[in-house]
Amino acid sequence: MIVLGIESSCDETAVSVVQDGKKLRSNVVASSMDLHAKYGGVIPEIAARSHIEAIIPVVQQALDDSGCTWDDIDAIAVTYGAGLLGSLLIGVLTARTLALAKNKPLYAINHVEGHIYANFLTQTSLRGYVLPAEQPRFPILGVIVSGGHSQLVLWRDHFDYTLLGQTQDDAIGEAFDKVAKIIGLPYPGGINVSNKALEGDPMAFQLPKARMRKYDFSFSGLKTAVLRLAQEQTGHDYSLPSTALPGLLNEGQKANIAASFQRVACETIVDKVVLAVEEFKPACVVIGGGVAANSELRRQLAARLPFPISYTDLKLCGDNGAMIATLGCFKAMLGQPAVDPLTLEVVPNLSM
Ligand code: KG4
Ligand code: ZN
């Protein structure tokens, strides 16, 4: 079973070819990140326009890299939600058109479910990927940590899952991005906060952890606490505009704020993961989403879980077509219904 997967929910135009839900044959990602960086966040109209320009060359590159022709492709999979409306439309319309023109079954994929399926890739013909030796075994505790989602999901089997809890306000990636802004690090914030934290002391400051219903999260209070801490560090009160902070904080203060925030943000997730492991006794824990690349989160999980955890390649944590193609493979191999290419709609607020 060879599936071509298309992902365009945010600012990455990404297409990949995956075989049998485990072998990565190609993975092409064109990002419009550089165009958004100067605005400090993704501008939906710019993202949509960039997808239009990139999608056809990226599909072709993914096919070429995989060594496949259209004759070898058994099905097409595409993200239909959640995400930005204009961005999703480009991927979905491309996939619908290709499914009709090439006469292939079309599978509609939930982006957030897709993130977990990046962990099923164990083989590749591509250079530069470090993949787990084995596929995850069910029941799986899925930890989704991205710019738009923070969720704990218990998967009993493929397509059979329960959402245990989720953030009630900001996602963890969003909190990283906002903290980056407060201390003057460029967008996208996650990787920059993580790098800055390497120079700081994670115990320098005590920041609050929100107490939420069992498996729910909250990150907006932590973000505000970081803002107040930064203001305090400059010797000003809460009336100091946040835009003035980067110029007033020294590099040591920035590093200590980054490290202390990162420790607490990761603990917020890991505390609940540990609790869920005790209650549901999954066979394994898998993490997905951009923040799954965070080394402090990986360190804390490895230290506190009662069993070893394996991670996918850093390149497969953020948005990519491989995770979409992989879930598409399982849908096709396990007889899930394909969708009608004439009528598939995008669902920007799709939930689990
Ligand atoms: O999964 P993703 O690429 O897109 C969404 O579906 O949202 O996640 C993007 C998020 C951004 O908030 C970004 O700052 C964060 O993931 N991120 C990180 C790291 N790499 C990306 N956060 C913390 N540490 C990282 N190394
Ligand atoms: Zn994502």
Side-chain angles (χ1 to χ4, degrees):
M1 174 64 61
I2 302 183
V3 174
L4 179 130
I6 300 178
E7 154 63 38
S8 72
S9 64
C10 192
D11 57 343
E12 267 96 24
T13 317
V15 182
S16 171
V17 174
V18 169
Q19 185 170 355
D20 302 330
K22 63 180 175 208
K23 184 170 181 187
L24 180 66
R25 295 187 57 145
S26 67
N27 187 39
V28 182
V29 182
S31 175
S32 57
M33 183 68 75
D34 293 351
L35 300 176
H36 308 288
K38 64 178 170 209
Y39 304 103
V42 174
I43 308 295
E45 289 78 6
I46 294 178
R49 200 176 319 131
S50 302
H51 285 305
I52 295 173
E53 286 166 9
I55 191 81
I56 300 298
V58 170
V59 168
Q60 192 57 51
Q61 186 71 47
L63 262 185
D64 293 347
D65 290 358
S66 71
C68 294
T69 67
W70 278 109
D71 288 342
D72 305 312
I73 301 294
D74 296 302
I76 296 171
V78 66
T79 303
Y80 75 111
L84 300 170
L85 173 75
S87 290
L88 288 166
L89 270 173
I90 310 306
V92 164
L93 287 174
T94 304
R96 286 172 54 176
T97 308
L98 286 170
L100 284 168
K102 306 293 181 187
N103 195 24
K104 308 287 178 188
L106 177 63
Y107 292 91
I109 305 292
N110 179 327
H111 176 87
V112 182
E113 287 177 37
H115 269 304
I116 290 300
Y117 275 77
N119 293 279
F120 281 82
L121 290 162
T122 55
Q123 303 170 9
T124 184
S125 42
L126 304 176
R127 258 180 290 158
Y129 285 80
V130 181
L131 300 175
E134 284 173 24
Q135 292 191 318
R137 280 176 300 115
F138 293 101
I140 294 169
L141 179 67
V143 185
I144 295 140
V145 279
S146 72
H149 295 84
S150 309
Q151 299 183 322
L152 286 185
V153 183
L154 185 68
W155 259 272
R156 282 170 220 88
D157 201 347
H158 294 289
F159 326 120
D160 175 12
Y161 62 73
T162 304
L163 177 62
L164 300 178
Q166 60 186 332
T167 183
Q168 298 301 306
D169 41 59
D170 293 354
I172 183 172
E174 210 176 334
F176 268 92
D177 295 338
K178 286 177 178 166
V179 166
K181 227 178 219 177
I182 291 171
I183 60 175
L185 303 177
Y187 183 85
I191 183 69
N192 293 316
V193 168
S194 173
N195 288 338
K196 193 74 193 167
L198 293 173
E199 305 158 21
D201 173 6
M203 300 307 285
F205 303 113
Q206 296 309 312
L207 290 160
K209 263 189 249 174
R211 293 211 190 137
M212 301 297 290
R213 193 190 65 86
K214 208 144 190 205
Y215 295 113
D216 283 342
F217 304 106
S218 162
F219 289 99
S220 74
L222 176 58
K223 172 199 68 190
T224 307
V226 168
L227 175 61
R228 297 287 173 257
L229 170 64
Q231 287 165 326
E232 202 183 289
Q233 287 294 300
T234 64
H236 291 81
D237 70 5
Y238 64 88
S239 60
L240 181 76
S242 60
T243 46
L245 289 169
L248 295 174
L249 292 165
N250 64 42
E251 294 309 308
Q253 288 171 318
K254 290 181 185 179
N256 283 342
I257 292 173
S260 301
F261 157 76
Q262 176 175 257
R263 173 180 59 79
V264 173
C266 294
E267 277 174 15
T268 304
I269 298 286
V270 178
D271 287 352
K272 303 258 167 144
V273 171
V274 170
L275 206 64
V277 165
E278 283 165 9
E279 180 170 352
F280 299 103
K281 307 203 170 21
C284 64
V285 172
V286 302
I287 58 175
V291 187
N294 185 272
S295 51
E296 171 65 9
L297 180 62
R298 291 178 170 211
R299 188 194 63 75
Q300 288 188 19
L301 283 169
R304 292 181 56 193
L305 285 177
F307 43 69
I309 171 168
S310 52
Y311 306 104
T312 188
D313 193 275
L314 295 182
K315 293 185 283 301
L316 299 173
C317 292
D319 293 346
N320 62 82
M323 65 193 207
I324 304 305
T326 305
L327 180 48
C329 279
F330 283 103
K331 288 203 169 195
M333 292 187 300
L334 299 172
Q336 292 282 302
V339 296
D340 182 351
L342 287 173
T343 59
L344 176 64
E345 299 277 2
V346 303
V347 185
N349 59 356
L350 183 66
S351 57
M352 291 291 280

